[in-house]
Structures are given as C-alpha cells and as structure tokens.
Amino acid sequence: MFHPRRTLRALLLPLTAGLALTALPAQTAQAAATLTNAGFEADGAGAAAPSGWSEYGDTGASFAESGGHGGSYRLSHWASAAYKVETYQYLSGLTNGNYKLTAWVRSGGGQKSAYIALKNCGGAEQRTNLPVSASGWVRVVVPVNVTNNQCTISVNSDANAGNWINVDDLTFTSGTTGLSIKGADISSLAKSEAKGGVYKSASGATGDPVTILKNAGMNYARLKVWVDPADGYNNKARVLATAKRVKAAGQKLLVDFHYSDTWADPGSQSKPSAWAGHSYSQLKTDVYNHTYDVLNALKAQGTTADMVQVGNEINGGMLWSEGSTDNWGQLAGLLNSGYSAVKAVNSSTPVALHLAKGGDLTGTRWWFDSAVANGVKFDVIGLSYYGYWHGTLTDFQTTLDDAAARYGKPVFVAETAYPFRLDSDDSFENIIDLSSELVSGYPATPAGQLAWMNAVADIVEAVPNGRGLGVFYWEATWTAVNGNGWDPADAASGNGWENQALFGYDDRALSSMAWFGHR
C-alpha cells in the first residue's frame, strides 16, 4: 500500500510550500528531445523535485519515493491537505509528427481530477485520466500530433486531502493510438420499442435511440442472433430489420451468433430446439447453414456484417454437449464450420471468438491455446469484462495484452457495462444493486459510469502494436419496459439491467454517453 511520509519530505515541506505559488513554470527546465529521468530513478527516495522535472502549484505534494513499477522509485502526488500540483517536463527540438506517451500509473481515487497530459505541442491538448487502481499498475497512453517542434509532458492532480497517485516508467516515442470501435449492443431495442419503450435526448426530446447514440459518438452496433426464440425477437427477421437502421445511421455492424434459442453464456449453451436430436455431423451443417443464411440475407439487403462472432461467451464451448470443451476436436469442427460460412458470404469479414472473464489470464490462455492446437480459425479475439465480476483493471490489462501478443490478433471488449444507480425502475431485482458489489473508486452515478467506461477504453487503447480495436457497451438501450424482460419465454419476466443502460429512468440519454467520444 501507499506510505508517502518521509522524514526528508517533512523537512522540505515548509520550504517548498512557501514558494509554491510565487514562481511561474520554468519552460527552460529540460530543453531536450528525449525524456530525462523518465523512471524517476535519478534521485532516490525523498526527492522533492525529481531531476529533469519541474513542479507548479502545491509543489510539496509532488515527490519521488520508493516503490517503482520497473525500478526502485516512482513519482507520487500526495498531501495531508487538499492540493493542486503539476509535475512537468518540457521537450524541444522534436521532429514534427505523431507521438505517444506511455506511462505506468496507480491511483487511490477521490481526486477532482488526476490525469496525464500532452500540451503546448502545437495542437489540441490531449489527456488521459488515471484509472482508479490502488493495488496494481495500469499502463495508459496519450497520443499527440506535434506541429511546433516542442511538447510538454504533464502529470496533474487536483486532489482532496489524502488522495494519491503514482506514475512511473514513461516513454515518449513516435506513433499514435486510438480506438476504431466505440460500440454498443442494442439487441433489446426492437422489443423495447414494440412494448412502448421511449428514448430521449439529454435535453428531453423524444428521438431515435440509434441516432441519439450516434450523435454521442457511437460508430458500431452489436446484435445477437437466436435461432427460434419464444418471443420472436433477436431472430433473423428482427436482426435484418434493426440492421437497416444501424447501417442507415452510418454505423458498422457486429453480428453475434448464440447458436441457441435463448441466452448462451459460460453457464448455458443449450442447442436450439430445431437441432435438438441432431448428430455432431448434422450440427456442423446446422451451424454452417444458419450462419450463412443470416449473413447472406444481411448482404442481400445491403447491410453486410462488418464483423461476426461465432458463438457467445464460449468459455465452455457451445451446442452442449457435442460442442463442449470436453471435446475440443468437435468444438473446433463447429467453430470452423461457422468461420467457413462467414467467409463464404464475404471473404473479408473478420471472425471473432468471444470469451467471458476478461481478467482470467490462465483461463483465456488455456482456451485459445487449445483452439490453436485444434486448428480453429479466427481473426479477432473478443472478451467480456465486467469489473464487478472479472477481476481488477490490472488483471484485465494483463489478459488483454497477453491475448493480443500470444496469438498475434486484434482484441476488443465484446461486452462491458456499469451501473449509474443501484435502485430498480421495475419490480424486478437488479443484477448489480448493492454498493458492496461496485468496483472501488467507481460510484453508481453517471459520472462513475463514464469514468469506468473511459478506464476500460484507455486499457484497450494501450494494447501494444495497435491491436486494441475498441469496446462494445452491453445493452445500452435495455431500459425498464413492461414485457421486455430477460426471459423470451416469459412476458412477465423483468429486467435486471436498466440501471446499467445508457438512458436514465426518465428515458433521457445519460451524460456517460460521452465515453463514445473517446479517441
């Protein structure tokens, strides 16, 4: 844990505190084209102003101390009273072009703001907020376009008493980052609207939710496909209809095949009733025909899928028991049947394989090592990552980075979400409804929901070699509407998810939709 007190610091504080606001930032602090003392190793513990770095504001709150990410020391911001401080380094003599700053960070949370910025680089200032991660280091990136041969690297805290951050092992190199996918699963939308669901802009004007989401920055929609669901929704016909709306709004489309009549996830992968008595050989044909049929119909109406998931959260396989991970050879055959169908409709459509438990490094490795060993074909890796179930942000980053590197594939978050409140808007208990279930540092408020989404997006953006594609928010439009419950076979079933939608209980777009504006 964090132990900021140092005897040397106690002696230095009265001196630096008295000078804090009398000096303006010195732009001559470090005029060089490379970062100096980027690992904060030059001075040892207790350095009030790390070599190569300048400080502004409550300078006593910025110091080097023991407990580095890579080496022995780190930069910390902390004070026993509320503070504002900036630790910065000015670089000049840069060749103009795209650069990215990488940093390892930790934060106990609670600040008004805590972020790393690249500024005075010639264009717009770029920032990345520090995720709340008290126990584990998280790598974040900040990209910038340098147009005036200089740039200032800045670590900022506007903090309450006792708040702390750690920053270490910075690199400033050529390159850029960003997300190509800023998406949402809107599978529940058609049924919601049919049952009377209404969606409004933030100002209260009733509108098309696809348009409202697009205006917030969404660029990709995810739609699930069930084979013959009891309620007649999320089937081929409904997916075709919603796909028209998605494409008309200029969005891309991810089609998510469950190969079931109802929810498929790690706990359930039940065969569609129409395939119930089929042999393994026939199931391979079923998978091919169903996949081809839906995708070819999408193509024929001018709404070709831009990415396809063959299976949904298939940690234990699919089409149990024939396609269970207890029989990898058969599972591989079913997955490759789906892959072949996707490519037969459109050879350039990428095929994703999707697992839950995005913080489970061991399980993810075991699954994809087995898939590779059994000759399974895939182009992209998708992981579900819910912070209240699937481990810490550090666990998630470790797993995501490892998957991208180990298999040489792009990665994305197929599902994540977070509550903006805990109480329920219907009579059905919410899945996450206790403060004890929340991720530390992320309250169940629209601001907490936004901070969570930005933290997840930042981790995907930081995947090395540009392999982080982006994020899908799960069920952004699943508000509480009578008759649009979780069970397609039970019209009286309620919704346990409305407190994790991106529309509030007043049907208005939440401020947390701002995450779609991520780089």
Side-chain angles (χ1 to χ4, degrees):
M1 282 305 293
F2 186 74
H3 300 292
R5 278 294 186 198
R6 294 284 180 273
T7 306
L8 177 59
R9 281 206 56 247
L11 296 172
L12 289 170
L13 273 170
L15 296 172
T16 55
L19 300 170
L21 296 174
T22 60
L24 290 169
Q27 286 289 285
T28 55
Q30 185 62 46
T34 55
L35 274 171
T36 298
N37 193 21
F40 303 97
E41 298 296 308
D43 313 287
S51 300
W53 295 85
S54 302
E55 298 170 338
Y56 180 67
D58 298 317
T59 57
S62 169
F63 49 92
E65 66 171 353
S66 296
H69 165 262
S72 299
Y73 306 101
R74 66 195 181 202
L75 173 70
S76 293
H77 286 179
W78 176 88
S80 58
Y83 63 94
K84 288 186 187 181
V85 70
E86 176 186 14
T87 309
Y88 65 95
Q89 188 169 148
Y90 168 68
L91 300 180
S92 63
L94 295 171
T95 302
N96 287 337
N98 290 319
Y99 290 83
K100 63 176 178 180
L101 180 76
T102 302
W104 287 91
V105 301
R106 302 194 320 158
S107 172
Q111 300 89 349
K112 295 173 188 144
S113 63
Y115 61 90
I116 296 179
L118 297 176
K119 58 186 189 178
N120 307 321
C121 310
E125 176 179 331
Q126 296 294 318
R127 293 183 180 183
T128 297
N129 291 326
L130 270 61
V132 180
S133 179
S135 57
W137 293 90
V138 174
R139 190 182 63 258
V140 296
V141 292
V142 194
V144 77
N145 183 25
V146 173
T147 59
N148 61 355
N149 304 111
Q150 64 185 27
C151 198
T152 300
I153 286 87
S154 170
V155 181
N156 281 266
S157 292
D158 181 356
N160 299 299
N163 294 163
W164 61 268
I165 66 169
N166 304 149
V167 176
D168 204 1
D169 295 339
L170 294 96
T171 60
F172 187 71
T173 57
S174 60
T176 190
T177 64
L179 300 180
S180 59
I181 295 173
K182 288 163 276 194
D185 192 307
I186 55 171
S187 297
S188 62
L189 178 58
K191 188 174 180 180
S192 172
E193 290 175 328
K195 300 292 182 183
V198 172
Y199 299 86
K200 299 178 180 180
S201 69
S203 62
T206 300
D208 177 359
V210 177
T211 303
I212 293 168
L213 288 161
K214 176 193 176 177
N215 290 343
M218 179 174 124
N219 65 8
Y220 222 121
R222 178 179 186 255
L223 298 176
K224 71 169 173 273
V225 187
W226 287 336
V227 177
D228 187 20
D231 61 359
Y233 286 88
N234 299 116
N235 60 9
K236 175 186 167 184
R238 301 287 186 177
V239 169
L240 286 167
T242 304
K244 284 185 176 179
R245 294 175 63 182
V246 165
K247 292 283 190 164
Q251 310 285 285
K252 290 188 172 181
L253 174 65
L254 168 59
V255 178
D256 170 20
F257 285 95
H258 283 228
Y259 301 112
S260 180
D261 293 335
T262 187
W263 302 99
D265 55 47
S268 176
Q269 294 282 340
S270 54
K271 287 194 286 280
S273 57
W275 308 357
H278 291 187
S279 66
Y280 165 65
S281 177
Q282 180 62 43
L283 287 170
K284 281 198 294 184
T285 303
D286 293 333
V287 167
Y288 186 97
N289 288 346
H290 170 62
T291 307
Y292 185 94
D293 180 47
V294 173
L295 296 178
N296 196 50
L298 284 165
K299 180 182 177 180
Q301 70 171 13
T303 61
T304 301
D306 297 284
M307 183 157 61
V308 173
Q309 278 182 226
V310 174
N312 186 79
E313 294 191 333
I314 50 176
N315 301 61
M318 64 185 200
L319 294 167
W320 289 345
S321 59
E322 286 80 357
S324 161
T325 49
D326 291 338
N327 190 332
W328 259 104
Q330 290 194 172
L331 174 57
L334 293 167
L335 293 171
N336 283 341
S337 187
Y339 183 95
S340 297
V342 175
K343 300 299 183 178
V345 174
N346 184 33
S347 61
S348 62
T349 302
V351 173
L353 296 181
H354 168 212
L355 300 186
K357 304 181 182 178
D360 179 7
L361 175 65
T362 303
T364 302
R365 272 189 176 180
W366 171 81
W367 199 96
F368 278 100
D369 281 359
S370 301
V372 170
N374 282 277
V376 176
K377 299 173 185 173
F378 62 100
D379 307 309
V380 188
I381 291 171
L383 298 176
S384 293
Y385 174 61
Y386 296 100
Y388 37 72
W389 291 329
H390 296 155
T392 66
L393 289 167
T394 300
D395 294 334
F396 166 54
Q397 181 166 69
T398 301
T399 305
L400 194 68
D401 288 356
D402 184 78
R406 190 176 180 90
Y407 308 106
K409 303 290 187 184
V411 294
F412 70 100
V413 175
E415 299 180 17
T416 189
Y418 204 76
F420 62 91
R421 57 196 289 172
L422 291 173
D423 61 319
S424 187
D425 195 28
D426 60 14
S427 58
F428 193 80
E429 183 180 355
N430 288 335
I431 291 173
I432 302 297
D433 63 352
L434 300 173
S435 56
S436 60
E437 295 172 305
L438 298 173
V439 180
S440 178
Y442 295 92
T445 62
Q449 191 181 42
L450 173 60
W452 174 258
M453 289 307 299
N454 280 330
V456 172
D458 286 338
I459 285 173
V460 180
E461 185 188 10
V463 173
N465 301 310
R467 288 195 174 118
L469 295 180
V471 181
F472 287 92
Y473 193 94
W474 195 70
E475 285 289 12
T477 55
W478 200 6
T479 52
V481 175
N482 192 34
N484 191 25
W486 69 272
D487 186 352
D490 179 5
S493 65
N495 175 7
W497 204 258
E498 74 271 13
N499 67 324
Q500 299 195 63
L502 293 180
F503 291 86
Y505 291 3
D506 58 0
D507 301 322
R508 295 187 183 203
L510 293 168
S511 55
S512 48
M513 276 192 199
W515 88 264
F516 286 118
H518 200 277
R519 283 186 295 268

